[in-house]
Amino acid sequence: MGSDEGISAAFIKGRPDALQLAYERFAPLVYTLALRSLGAVHDAEDVTQQVFVSAWRSRDTFDPERGSLGGWLTAITRNKIADMMQRRQRDQRVLAQVAGRAAAPGSDGPGDNMVDRIVLADELARLPESQRLVMTLAFYSDLTHEQIARTLELPLGTVKSHIRRGLLRLRSRLEADGVTH
């Protein structure tokens, strides 16, 4: 069942093993296209997952008369990459707005507090865009996970993952720099 035609036939029939077979065969192609276009491993991983979920859910629209399963998955990949790029642009706009509010002068406490804020802002800037935006919305705008998911049109699980990975990354960087107490 390793041939592309066999995988396509199993996919069309909705056989339980078909998604795994398609993933094993075409995930490297999908991932490579996403990584080359997006330049970020976590975004390429997200796109790869989205492509196969979308393909499985809409497998009834796949027509082997019009092209191969690989070609169909490539078309879905291009659409998901375009969606991710649009999301990045929207995220950059939201981040710029939030950063503008966070940078607004306020009633700062002691000087140490300002140093901590500068160090934290620098570390946040080093995070991948999607994690940085989610973290900024969570901690500077004080939004809940659900509110962030709605605002950014992301699945709740993705928001939670971005926050978890972002916090772990921030903690390890701050510990390495000797900033944490």
Side-chain angles (χ1 to χ4, degrees):
M1 187 55 67
S3 74
D4 288 357
E5 294 81 19
I7 294 170
S8 293
F11 197 82
I12 291 168
K13 292 177 184 174
R15 282 194 13 209
D17 63 337
L19 181 59
Q20 180 179 347
L21 292 170
Y23 185 85
E24 289 171 358
R25 169 67 178 90
F26 296 106
L29 170 67
V30 168
Y31 176 79
T32 300
L33 291 170
L35 184 59
R36 286 184 181 163
S37 296
L38 300 169
V41 170
H42 61 280
D43 286 343
E45 291 170 348
D46 287 348
V47 164
T48 301
Q49 179 182 2
Q50 291 170 14
V51 166
F52 285 94
V53 169
S54 178
W56 186 250
R57 288 181 177 161
S58 62
R59 68 186 175 276
D60 58 326
T61 65
F62 170 60
D63 182 1
E65 301 285 323
R66 297 181 64 201
S68 68
L69 181 59
W72 186 64
L73 291 170
T74 299
I76 295 172
T77 302
R78 284 194 308 263
N79 291 334
K80 295 298 180 186
I81 289 170
D83 292 346
M84 180 67 74
M85 288 179 166
Q86 287 176 338
R87 196 172 307 127
R88 279 181 173 180
Q89 289 173 347
R90 184 186 62 242
D91 292 353
Q92 287 173 346
R93 287 191 302 272
V94 170
L95 185 58
Q97 291 171 349
V98 170
R101 277 186 260 149
S107 57
D108 293 325
D112 285 346
N113 201 7
M114 180 56 78
V115 171
D116 289 344
R117 291 181 73 185
I118 291 170
V119 169
L120 183 59
D122 181 56
E123 291 301 329
L124 272 172
R126 295 179 188 195
L127 291 175
E129 288 177 46
S130 53
Q131 283 180 2
R132 180 175 60 240
L133 178 62
V134 169
M135 296 284 288
T136 301
L137 290 173
F139 298 105
Y140 285 108
S141 295
D142 202 26
L143 297 180
T144 66
H145 295 172
E146 292 81 8
Q147 290 169 323
I148 295 168
R150 280 194 306 273
T151 300
L152 300 178
E153 298 174 3
L154 290 172
L156 181 59
T158 300
V159 169
K160 289 179 178 182
S161 293
H162 283 331
I163 290 174
R164 182 183 49 78
R165 286 188 298 225
L167 287 172
L168 289 173
R169 195 166 175 173
L170 283 173
R171 182 179 352 157
S172 67
R173 283 191 175 157
L174 293 172
E175 286 174 352
D177 291 342
V179 174
T180 58
H181 302 285

